[in-house]
Amino acid sequence: MAEENVKAINKRKAVSLSQKIEIITKLQNGAANAAICREYKLSKSTVSTVWANKEKYLSVQHVNSPSTKKLRGSSKPEVDQSLLKWFSLKRSQNIPISGPILQAKAAEFEKITKTLNTQESQEEPGSSSKEIEYSRGWIDRFKRRYDIQSGKIHGESASVSLEVTNQWINTVWPGLRSKYEKCDTFNGDETGLFFKLTPDRTLKFKGDKCSGGKLSKERITVFVCSNMDGSEKRRLVVIGKSASPRCFKATKNLPVTYYSNKRAWITSEIFEKILRDWDTELEKRKRKILLLVDNCPAHPKVLNLKRIELIFLPPNVTAVLQPMDQGVIRSLKSHYRQQLLFKLIRALDSNNDLKITLLDAVMMLVTAWGRVSSTTILNCFRHAGLDIGRDAFDEDDDIPLALWIEKERSKEIDNIPDLNEWAKSNSITDFDDFNLTEYATADDNLVVAEFPSDAEIVSSVSSQIDIESEELEKGEDSTEGENQRELPTTLEALDSLETVNKFLRFNNPTDDCINALELIHGTIQKSLLEKRKKQTKVTEFFKL
């Protein structure tokens, strides 16, 4: 038996990429080298080589085919990656792509790449080398490299009727729903937000898609995601225009995940990063979830996810099937604008100008997200027809599922704050001259993503390959027009807390309010004492 094991180990064996990733993961988790050798029947030197090249294998695990045994790079990496990105985008649109189309597109990307490189190097256009013809063999290697299979691509069609929507609910959804509990069924979607918008500027902003220009400096995109029963509202993802907002500099722990690009849009790279990070988190917890998303241009098919089953809703059904668009996002924005209006009232009362930084917007968004109730979220899933609870039927009811879904969709969703009612119930008359309903929906048509042009694809790929390229928008904090605010000192925070304490003494605070105040006071006090420990006493300078 021992001799057979030795022969098995000594025999040359090709190790696939997926096996290499498994080996690296086990070694990272503390597995012994010898144990790995026995399990995979590999020599010690082979395992050591895999470990030595772990960074290379981990960087390509989501791009190359898992069955790949040798990592053969392309002689034209920019063309190669541009073509792959373009193919993925077209595949998400359910457009069939043949070999000749790939050949022609590769040649187009070659031209664009040469043009961009010529502009950067300031060479004369005529000095570039002759065009390269992308042979069928090159395309075949490209397909093998990324495990692209021939055949029909299943997925979206050009348009979907209500009949097709109900058919998806009746035939596709039950099979998916049966595999996951409510707490493991998620939906995520993006929304645009004019984070500085006040009621007096509603007419200027309402209906603007904000693809660029001055208004783009006052917008952000927010990715909102929650599970069906509302027990797990995912950390918000905020996408802004500036890479390094000045107002973030003194913040140690930002309560959202922040990304940036020129247009403050969601991109396929950002979306994939969100899912990869979440998948890693779920892998550690040995948990699997279902994630429903729409067919937004920035939502590619993310390959090799281990713990996330990514399902794309039929196209053109966002207003019908997507829970986030059934009222969750509307609730989030209403809670956000309540806080913004309150800040405006404070500014009016003190005769000051209202100044809202991106950090202010982030903090208000986090508060607003916390106020979106689990009941609202569950109702939105039910309103979309995705939560078919038996408690919704009477015992003697025997109605078709389609009629029940139609009945649910006709209901109004509770717990979504109405700004007019909020102002009326709080006797706020400052905004009587403005339409708060239009104010609440002013940014509903904001563009959050768009299919990139060929030139944008090449430019995006080039910036990733060239590690020495400068970061876009980095340091351009002035584009946001934000004034940098000094971070309050610990003593100033304690003084402010004392002021709050004095105010509450004469306003009959509840026990919960007093306990919360004591908790905050204790936290700040602890911070002050920790700082004092690190400081050197003045008397120590006079010791002999």
Side-chain angles (χ1 to χ4, degrees):
M1 180 66 72
E3 291 181 1
E4 291 178 2
N5 287 336
V6 171
K7 289 180 180 179
I9 291 175
N10 289 334
K11 184 179 179 182
R12 185 178 179 83
K13 181 179 179 181
V15 185
S16 68
L17 178 60
S18 61
Q19 288 177 319
K20 289 172 182 174
I21 299 301
E22 288 177 8
I23 291 170
I24 291 168
T25 303
K26 289 179 180 180
L27 289 172
Q28 288 176 330
N29 293 332
N33 193 307
I36 299 292
C37 292
R38 287 193 296 270
E39 181 180 353
Y40 291 90
K41 295 182 173 58
L42 298 172
S43 67
K44 188 176 179 179
S45 62
T46 301
V47 175
S48 298
T49 301
V50 170
W51 178 251
N53 292 282
K54 61 181 182 295
E55 297 298 334
K56 179 175 69 174
Y57 296 133
L58 291 173
S59 66
V60 298
Q61 64 173 316
H62 302 306
V63 179
N64 288 70
S65 167
S67 60
T68 298
K69 294 181 172 61
K70 288 186 179 181
L71 297 180
R72 295 183 176 90
S74 170
S75 59
K76 295 285 182 179
E78 290 183 345
V79 175
D80 189 82
Q81 291 299 310
S82 297
L83 187 63
L84 177 64
K85 187 171 182 178
W86 176 84
F87 176 81
S88 299
L89 288 171
K90 293 303 176 184
R91 181 167 180 170
S92 70
Q93 296 175 277
N94 198 28
I95 298 175
I97 305 296
S98 64
I101 292 177
L102 283 175
Q103 286 177 265
K105 203 66 193 178
E108 287 182 27
F109 281 127
E110 172 78 14
K111 290 180 181 179
I112 295 171
T113 301
K114 285 182 179 180
T115 301
L116 291 176
N117 291 339
T118 299
Q119 290 173 352
E120 290 177 2
S121 61
Q122 297 182 345
E123 293 179 0
E124 295 183 5
S127 63
S128 59
S129 58
K130 62 179 182 179
E131 294 182 13
I132 295 178
E133 291 187 4
Y134 287 87
S135 64
R136 184 171 179 177
W138 190 94
I139 295 300
D140 287 341
R141 290 192 296 274
F142 172 82
K143 288 181 178 180
R144 286 198 299 271
R145 212 161 27 241
Y146 301 110
D147 199 25
I148 296 173
Q149 305 293 334
S150 299
K152 185 178 179 181
I153 301 172
H154 300 281
E156 297 185 7
S157 57
S159 61
V160 175
S161 65
L162 186 60
E163 181 182 351
V164 175
T165 303
N166 289 332
Q167 184 180 6
W168 188 89
I169 285 286
N170 288 322
T171 59
V172 179
W173 177 239
L176 294 169
R177 178 71 179 86
S178 64
K179 297 190 292 181
Y180 297 92
E181 298 293 334
K182 289 182 182 179
C183 61
D184 295 323
T185 303
F186 288 78
N187 173 234
D189 192 27
E190 300 84 11
T191 183
L193 178 70
F194 286 125
F195 67 91
K196 296 182 180 182
L197 182 64
T198 51
D200 57 312
R201 303 173 70 202
T202 300
L203 290 178
K204 178 182 178 182
F205 282 72
K206 185 170 177 61
D208 195 294
K209 295 185 178 181
C210 194
S211 298
K214 293 181 179 179
L215 297 187
S216 66
K217 298 176 183 178
E218 301 189 21
R219 63 82 46 85
I220 54 177
T221 296
V222 186
F223 179 71
V224 187
C225 183
S226 173
N227 60 354
M228 184 182 290
D229 61 10
S231 61
E232 186 177 342
K233 292 183 284 185
R234 295 289 299 172
R235 182 186 182 99
L236 294 174
V237 176
V238 175
I239 305 157
K241 186 177 175 67
S242 175
S244 302
R246 187 177 295 130
C247 58
F248 285 3
K249 286 184 178 179
T251 306
K252 295 181 179 178
N253 296 305
L254 202 63
V256 300
T257 302
Y258 181 77
Y259 297 99
S260 66
N261 56 58
K262 285 184 175 181
R263 293 177 174 174
W265 287 355
I266 183 74
T267 64
S268 57
E269 291 84 3
I270 292 175
F271 180 73
E272 183 168 348
K273 182 73 165 59
I274 293 170
L275 264 59
R276 297 286 181 207
D277 291 346
W278 191 2
D279 195 55
T280 301
E281 174 191 328
L282 292 167
E283 178 69 17
K284 293 177 181 177
R285 295 158 56 188
K286 304 300 180 186
R287 179 187 176 193
K288 187 159 186 178
I289 61 107
L290 173 70
L291 176 61
L292 299 171
V293 296
D294 60 19
N295 287 82
C296 160
H299 292 172
K301 290 179 173 66
V302 183
L303 304 176
N304 304 327
L305 292 172
K306 296 179 181 178
R307 295 288 173 173
I308 298 176
E309 184 173 0
L310 183 62
I311 298 297
F312 293 92
L313 294 168
N316 307 323
V317 297
T318 294
V320 180
L321 276 183
Q322 182 140 251
M324 293 299 113
D325 283 348
Q326 292 297 316
V328 177
I329 289 174
R330 183 153 45 100
S331 180
L332 173 72
K333 287 187 175 182
S334 293
H335 283 300
Y336 176 86
R337 293 213 155 97
Q338 279 184 10
Q339 298 173 77
L340 188 58
L341 289 177
F342 185 72
K343 282 183 177 289
L344 180 57
I345 291 170
R346 285 177 57 194
L348 292 171
D349 289 347
S350 58
N351 293 319
N352 292 323
D353 293 331
L354 178 65
K355 294 181 180 179
I356 301 295
T357 67
L358 183 55
L359 182 60
D360 294 328
V362 163
M363 301 310 293
M364 287 192 290
L365 273 172
V366 171
T367 300
W369 189 220
R371 291 176 181 174
V372 178
S373 70
S374 57
T375 302
T376 296
I377 294 172
L378 181 58
N379 284 342
C380 289
F381 271 87
R382 178 163 292 182
H383 197 261
L386 300 181
D387 176 44
I388 308 169
R390 294 308 305 172
D391 56 336
F393 298 93
D394 293 329
E395 290 183 2
D396 297 330
D397 280 350
D398 186 20
I399 62 175
L401 180 61
L403 291 179
W404 179 86
I405 293 172
E406 193 174 322
K407 180 181 176 183
E408 284 295 312
R409 287 176 180 160
S410 66
K411 294 180 180 178
E412 289 293 326
I413 298 175
D414 299 327
N415 303 323
I416 296 179
D418 181 274
L419 293 181
N420 288 302
E421 290 296 324
W422 172 79
K424 185 177 179 180
S425 63
N426 289 283
S427 301
I428 298 172
T429 59
D430 304 73
F431 312 115
D432 286 353
D433 295 335
F434 304 106
N435 188 329
L436 293 185
T437 301
E438 287 190 355
Y439 172 60
T441 59
D443 43 26
D444 282 0
N445 293 323
L446 274 182
V447 174
V448 296
E450 189 174 75
F451 281 108
S453 65
D454 290 353
E456 287 173 332
I457 290 175
V458 174
S459 179
S460 172
V461 168
S462 297
S463 65
Q464 292 177 6
I465 293 176
D466 186 4
I467 61 174
E468 295 180 355
S469 62
E470 295 181 1
E471 293 180 16
L472 293 174
E473 300 294 322
K474 191 167 186 176
E476 295 183 12
D477 305 317
S478 58
T479 57
E480 292 182 16
E482 297 179 357
N483 295 321
Q484 186 175 8
R485 299 179 182 179
E486 291 185 3
L487 185 68
T489 65
T490 308
L491 290 175
E492 288 173 340
L494 282 173
D495 290 341
S496 298
L497 205 59
E498 287 298 328
T499 302
V500 174
N501 194 18
K502 289 177 184 177
F503 172 79
L504 290 176
R505 287 176 193 167
F506 300 98
N507 287 274
N508 300 319
T510 62
D511 290 341
D512 288 342
C513 187
I514 293 172
N515 292 335
L517 194 64
E518 289 178 353
L519 179 63
I520 296 171
H521 188 275
T523 302
I524 298 176
Q525 192 177 62
K526 183 179 178 181
S527 175
L528 177 64
L529 294 174
E530 287 295 327
K531 286 184 178 180
R532 284 178 59 84
K533 287 180 183 179
K534 298 176 183 178
Q535 292 176 349
T536 305
K537 294 181 179 179
V538 175
T539 54
E540 291 184 6
F541 288 99
F542 300 99
K543 288 182 180 180
L544 297 176

